[in-house]
Amino acid sequence: MVQSLAMSSPIRVVLAEDHTIVREGLRALLDGRDDVVVVAEADNGHDGVAAATKHKPDVVVMDLNMPGLNGVDATKAIREALPDTHVLILSMYSTEEHVRPAIRAGAEGYLLKGSGLSDLVAAIKAVASGNAFFSPQVAKIVLDDSRKATKPGPAERLGADLTPRERQVLKLVAEGRSSPEIARDLDLSVKTVEGHRGRIMAKLDTKNEIGRAHV
């Protein structure tokens, strides 16, 4: 069960990024905000897992390419040990071979480096609430997989069990639409759209033969 976050309590974040200048830049962007607080940093995968285990943050912002233990394996370790801690991948890579393993490992968001602060904060808030957040390029990969998966089977595909409405929401996410914009276009409430996004993520994690069944 996803724990609700009190409005007065900032989202506690661990930054796992091996490039010092990038990590310090992320911290500088987030420092001073009332809604997000960085509780620890790590410059490799092993330390990222250790920091998450020690601080039990709401969200770990995780790079994929890190020394010692890569971001995918670190994500898997964190999700297995800390089910209430969510992982947001922050990467420069948007290819299928990077996106799919990260989602299978339990990442609930995938944001591309180069995104703005507003997207970073929106992604952190989304995954902290148990919802999915994908950069448009990443959402397109999931959408393409859902279009190919016309029936359940052993093929390595994502999104086989999405409803027509969920595929519609995913398509708009892939086009770069925000939840308020999707709500307006589909004549839905923002809460309903966020619910669809959460169910999309749950199905990516639990309804396909490509991930851990208990995520």
Side-chain angles (χ1 to χ4, degrees):
M1 178 179 294
V2 176
Q3 295 178 337
S4 60
L5 299 174
M7 293 299 292
S8 59
S9 300
I11 298 171
R12 302 172 67 254
V13 173
V14 166
L15 298 177
E17 162 66 57
D18 66 320
H19 290 95
T20 302
I21 192 169
V22 175
R23 191 175 65 253
E24 290 180 349
L26 291 172
R27 180 152 204 163
L29 287 173
L30 296 174
D31 273 348
R33 298 188 62 90
D34 295 329
D35 49 359
V36 178
V37 58
V38 178
V39 297
E41 300 177 26
D43 62 4
N44 63 76
H46 287 296
D47 286 351
V49 175
T53 302
K54 177 180 178 180
H55 294 278
K56 296 180 174 58
D58 302 304
V59 177
V60 177
V61 177
M62 178 76 69
D63 187 22
L64 285 181
N65 289 338
M66 288 193 296
L69 187 69
N70 65 53
V72 170
D73 290 339
T75 294
K76 184 176 181 180
I78 289 170
R79 294 293 289 142
E80 288 178 345
L82 304 167
D84 291 328
T85 293
H86 309 278
V87 177
L88 168 65
I89 299 297
L90 185 62
S91 176
M92 63 184 292
Y93 301 108
S94 60
T95 59
E96 295 176 3
E97 57 264 34
H98 291 94
V99 172
R100 287 194 178 107
I103 294 176
R104 295 170 194 171
E108 291 164 291
Y110 197 114
L111 187 68
L112 295 182
K113 291 181 178 178
S115 300
L117 175 60
S118 61
D119 284 337
L120 175 61
V121 173
I124 289 173
K125 289 182 176 180
V127 299
S129 299
N131 294 318
F133 193 102
F134 300 128
S135 288
Q137 299 94 319
V138 176
K140 286 178 182 178
I141 293 174
V142 181
L143 179 62
D144 288 343
D145 282 337
S146 74
R147 285 171 172 165
K148 295 174 185 176
T150 57
K151 61 182 180 179
E156 293 190 353
R157 295 165 175 168
L158 300 175
D161 298 316
L162 299 184
T163 67
R165 176 64 88 183
E166 288 163 351
R167 293 186 188 216
Q168 192 175 24
V169 169
L170 181 58
K171 178 177 182 295
L172 292 175
V173 172
E175 293 173 355
R177 305 289 186 86
S178 65
S179 289
E181 289 171 335
I182 295 171
R184 182 195 62 213
D185 291 348
L186 300 183
D187 195 22
L188 301 171
S189 69
V190 174
K191 183 177 180 180
T192 297
V193 172
E194 291 294 344
H196 281 307
R197 294 179 70 155
R199 284 188 290 276
I200 289 168
M201 191 68 240
K203 288 182 178 182
L204 296 183
D205 281 342
T206 64
K207 298 296 185 182
N208 295 281
E209 298 176 6
I210 58 176
R212 295 175 292 118
H214 65 278
V215 172

